[in-house]
Amino acid sequence: MNTSTTTAVPLPASPAAPAAAAPAAAATPWRDKLNGVLFVGLMAGAVMQLADLPFIRQLGFSPLVVGIVVGMLYGNFLRGTMPADWGVGVNFTARRLLRIAVAFYGLNISIQQIAAVGMPGLAVSVAVVVGTLLIGTVVGQRLLGLDRDTAMLTAAGSAICGAAAVLAFEPTLRAAPHKSAVAVATVVLFGTLSMFLYPVFYHAGWLNFDTQALGIYIGGTVHEVAQVVGTASNIDPATTEVATIVKMTRVALLVPVLLVLGMYLRSAASHAGGQGKSAKLPIPWFAVGFLVLAIINSLDIIPADVVAAIRRLDVFALTMAMTALGIETRFAQIRKAGPRVMALGFILYVWLLVGGYGIVKLAT
């Protein structure tokens, strides 16, 4: 009898042990995700400080560009110092947080800004965006043999708003991180080149424009917002104001372009016989959010200091996304497509310089 009672003691404890262990096991993925997000956030904080250094600001490198460079250096040379389980948080930052940040980027533009440059500025923006996307996609795939995603991402970076456009296109295309990284590399190279060449061309008398037309040309053809400001500020404040507004009209075109792209991808999947896949491809909600927030910004119902604070937070969130994207990118993947992507970036750059000049002449 004693034996039976002693053997009965552990029986209630054995089912309780897994029950106690289960919550800890279930919580682990969330802790890993949170740790990964916090880790990227700390890196992004350091990136923001780095991007604020005077010599980096003078080069026109936005925190987004610095973030992907720092992330790539860490991901390729120091990744072993981060626990592998935190990768789920890094991926979350590069995907989900990215979409939220792109939506809030809409607070950077308003309908009033677009109206301020009139029809010439809007016409140039539309012509440059559409022309660059078509040339980049066709030349990239048919002449250079790039895959669809790499060609479109590279074209988007040149056509709309640099690294931010690449980030916005990536989830819609469902592209691999390294393809976005090589596209951003073209933005860094050729956008930086613009900051040096455009003022030289202007002072040499090769850009026969008045202040309004020159601002439209710079805002309509330079890659990133920061690069537009850096380029135009080397000329005069009036040109900088016009160029910045025109650049924002290009940013506003991100929404209709993404919606058209979503419809195109669904149609292509349907014609390829992938009905299931095409049904799953949604209209990008972050693009709709971008448009809604741009309209809200136009109504001036949010206090200016609140909008300024949200914009700063949004730049930080986009920097986190770019840093995470860099961490997930491998140099070997970039080398595989690097020269052809740079060739496409160069072709698009020549188109922006020469074709953009012709478009502005016609429009103004």
Side-chain angles (χ1 to χ4, degrees):
M1 295 292 291
N2 278 343
T3 307
S4 63
T5 49
T6 52
T7 53
V9 173
L11 292 179
S14 56
T28 299
W30 288 102
R31 282 203 300 268
D32 290 336
K33 180 180 288 187
L34 180 60
N35 287 336
V37 171
L38 291 175
F39 177 75
V40 175
L42 287 172
M43 285 189 67
V47 164
M48 296 285 285
Q49 295 296 317
L50 186 62
D52 202 40
L53 294 175
F55 79 95
I56 292 182
R57 281 208 314 269
Q58 288 170 5
L59 290 173
F61 291 164
S62 68
L64 279 68
V65 171
V66 178
I68 196 168
V69 172
V70 170
M72 287 169 64
L73 292 174
Y74 179 86
N76 284 272
F77 298 113
L78 297 170
R79 189 181 179 92
T81 62
M82 181 189 78
D85 292 340
W86 291 8
V88 64
V90 174
N91 185 267
F92 174 86
T93 306
R95 299 294 179 274
R96 299 292 181 85
L97 181 62
L98 156 66
R99 302 180 192 196
I100 297 170
V102 169
F104 275 92
Y105 200 72
L107 288 175
N108 286 281
I109 65 170
S110 67
I111 306 302
Q112 292 89 332
Q113 287 176 321
I114 297 173
V117 297
M119 284 307 298
L122 181 59
V124 169
S125 294
V126 171
V128 167
V129 168
V130 173
T132 306
L133 287 172
L134 289 175
I135 292 171
T137 302
V138 174
V139 170
Q141 292 185 87
R142 296 187 181 178
L143 295 184
L144 297 174
L146 293 169
D147 62 271
R148 183 203 68 185
D149 292 353
T150 302
M152 284 189 171
L153 289 168
T154 304
S158 296
I160 305 175
C161 51
V166 176
L167 285 176
F169 267 61
E170 186 199 319
T172 303
L173 291 170
R174 298 176 180 175
H178 72 275
K179 296 178 182 180
S180 297
V182 293
V184 170
T186 65
V187 171
V188 175
L189 177 60
F190 296 108
T192 303
L193 191 59
S194 295
M195 296 179 61
F196 295 99
L197 289 185
Y198 278 55
V200 170
F201 290 164
Y202 172 73
H203 292 301
W206 296 347
L207 298 178
N208 187 22
F209 292 131
D210 59 21
T211 298
Q212 178 83 357
L214 182 61
I216 292 174
Y217 178 63
I218 293 172
T221 58
V222 177
H223 296 63
E224 281 212 333
V225 176
Q227 293 164 345
V228 167
V229 174
T231 303
S233 62
N234 286 324
I235 297 173
D236 59 56
T239 300
T240 304
E241 182 179 348
V242 175
T244 304
I245 294 172
V246 173
K247 181 62 181 176
M248 288 308 173
T249 65
R250 284 170 69 195
V251 174
L253 292 172
L254 181 64
V255 176
V257 167
L258 284 175
L259 295 178
V260 170
L261 178 62
M263 290 186 286
Y264 164 75
L265 292 175
R266 278 197 301 275
S267 174
S270 177
H271 283 97
Q275 294 288 345
K277 184 176 180 181
S278 84
K280 291 180 181 178
L281 186 63
I283 292 177
W285 60 264
F286 59 88
V288 177
F290 179 102
L291 179 60
V292 170
L293 287 166
I295 293 172
I296 291 174
N297 189 43
S298 303
L299 298 175
D300 289 327
I301 57 178
I302 304 177
D305 55 343
V306 174
V307 172
I310 295 174
R311 286 174 180 171
R312 286 194 296 271
L313 284 173
D314 191 50
V315 170
F316 181 73
L318 284 169
T319 303
M320 284 182 64
M322 289 296 283
T323 304
L325 186 68
I327 293 174
E328 292 188 330
T329 301
R330 295 293 170 268
F331 288 148
Q333 296 169 320
I334 295 178
R335 283 195 298 268
K336 192 177 297 183
R340 289 177 295 159
V341 174
M342 286 301 165
L344 178 58
F346 176 73
I347 291 168
L348 292 175
Y349 188 57
V350 172
W351 149 252
L352 289 171
L353 281 172
V354 180
Y357 183 90
I359 291 170
V360 173
K361 277 293 186 184
L362 286 173
T364 56

